[in-house]
Each structure stands twice: as structure tokens, then as C-alpha cells.
Amino acid sequence: MQVELTFRHIGKSPSLEALIREQTDKIQRFHDHINSCAVVVERDHASQGTGGEYRVRIDLHVAGKQEIVTEERAARDLLPAAVRDVFQRAARQLKKLASEQRNDVKAHPAQDTAGVITKLFNDYGFITTTDGREIYFHERSMVSAPFADLKVGMGVAYTEEEGDKGPQASTVRIVDARGGNRSRAQIPTLG
């Protein structure tokens, strides 16, 4: 996820910047396909001479042309709380969006495709499809088991979508956890 942090009409604060970076790292857990996150911390233009309100705004762009925008206003000494609040609000919206998207996938099981895990790395892997193509997937795409439990040779079902660098798998579910001894009824044999 690309993160852009902007301070307007306010000096940069290393502690506030660290808090924002921490929150952006946490928010990635709630949706697999956040493309970018823009965070703006600014002094409200109307109150610049009085030391009044500050605003924290998050713009999240999620694959599928979804956009989530949240905003919180606070006094300067309450900016850390405002940052946490605005990220919590964004997290709730991301959870709702991910849930809606999972329900859409469940409602259309014909979209699921079968394949076999053929490569695993620290936080991503590759699935070989029944037609011999290699599809990327990330650990956040897993919906049925922790990424750490995966093994090469496991059968999976997934939904294919277009990613930044080509096709990728989302909503990956283990279909055959035995690895290597796939049932033909569950996973078609690869040519």
C-alpha cells in the first residue's frame, strides 16, 4: 500500500508521524486490496490565528474503484486521539466493505477457480491454475486458514482478479489440505 502523509499549516511532528505510520500498518489487516492511503493533518484554515481546530483526514483507495474517506477534528493537544479515532472509523468501513465483497463472492460460487499452491514465500505465494498459469496471492488473501499453515501442493479455491502487475488471487480458501494427494473431484489435475 502506498502511503502519502501531508502536514498543512502545521509543523511536522515525529511522534504524530510515527503514530500515523503505525495506524496505516494496522489498517492493512482489514482489506486485502488497499492501493493507497493519503493522510492529511492540517490546521483548520478559519482558525489559524486563534490556535483552534485541526483536522485529520484519510483517503483510502481500494481496488475495484472503492474510496473510503474519514475525517476527525480536534484541538492540537488531542491530535493523537483524533488520529486513532479516524483510523478506527476507516477500519470499520474497510471491514464492512470486505464483508460485503466476501458475501458477493459467496453468492456467486461459479466465480471460484481451483488451483494448487506451487510456491510459498514469507507473506505471499503462487497458485498454478488448472490451465497452467501462475497466479500471485498475498497472505491477506487467505480466508480459510492462516498463511503459516499453507504447504506447497495444497489445493485451493480462489477468485481471480486483475492486480497492479497482472492476475492475482483473492479470497483464497484451502480445498484440499493434504498437499500432494489431491482428490480429482476437488482439484483437477494439472497438465
Side-chain angles (χ1 to χ4, degrees):
M1 169 176 69
Q2 179 183 352
V3 178
E4 181 182 325
L5 176 56
T6 305
F7 289 92
R8 288 188 191 136
H9 311 295
I10 178 177
K12 278 191 173 185
S13 162
S15 62
L16 197 56
E17 187 171 352
L19 175 63
I20 290 168
R21 300 250 182 240
E22 173 188 314
Q23 294 295 314
T24 56
D25 289 344
K26 284 182 181 179
I27 206 164
Q28 291 185 62
R29 298 183 307 209
F30 300 113
H31 200 284
D32 297 339
H33 305 292
I34 302 172
N35 293 332
S36 65
C37 174
V39 181
V40 177
V41 180
E42 66 183 340
R43 183 183 295 172
D44 186 7
H45 189 49
S47 65
Q48 281 191 19
T50 65
E53 283 194 331
Y54 290 79
R55 180 174 74 129
V56 180
R57 176 185 167 107
I58 301 175
D59 289 285
L60 294 170
H61 294 274
V62 181
K65 302 189 184 201
Q66 297 282 340
E67 186 174 8
I68 293 175
V69 179
T70 59
E71 185 177 301
E72 184 74 25
R73 294 184 180 273
R76 183 175 178 88
D77 59 335
L78 298 176
L79 273 174
V83 166
R84 284 188 286 276
D85 289 347
V86 77
F87 273 97
Q88 285 175 355
R89 195 171 311 127
R92 284 191 298 272
Q93 291 180 40
L94 282 169
K95 285 179 193 176
K96 181 180 177 186
L97 176 62
S99 175
E100 289 169 357
Q101 289 174 338
R102 275 193 303 271
N103 288 337
D104 286 347
V105 170
K106 289 178 187 173
H108 305 287
Q111 293 176 348
D112 283 350
T113 307
V116 177
I117 297 174
T118 53
K119 295 178 186 174
L120 287 171
F121 300 94
N122 289 337
D123 60 353
Y124 68 97
F126 289 91
I127 298 167
T128 297
T129 65
T130 55
D131 61 0
R133 295 178 303 127
E134 205 170 58
I135 305 289
Y136 165 87
F137 73 101
H138 193 273
E139 71 178 334
R140 292 185 309 253
S141 300
M142 292 302 303
V143 295
S144 68
F147 186 83
D149 292 350
L150 299 180
K151 293 181 176 69
V152 169
M154 285 182 162
V156 293
Y158 62 93
T159 301
E160 186 175 328
E161 60 185 39
E162 195 60 32
D164 292 341
K165 296 180 180 176
Q168 66 184 30
S170 68
T171 58
V172 179
R173 294 182 319 279
I174 295 173
V175 178
D176 177 18
R178 293 171 288 182
N181 297 322
R182 294 177 297 281
S183 160
R184 288 184 190 269
Q186 290 177 320
I187 303 296
T189 355
L190 298 176

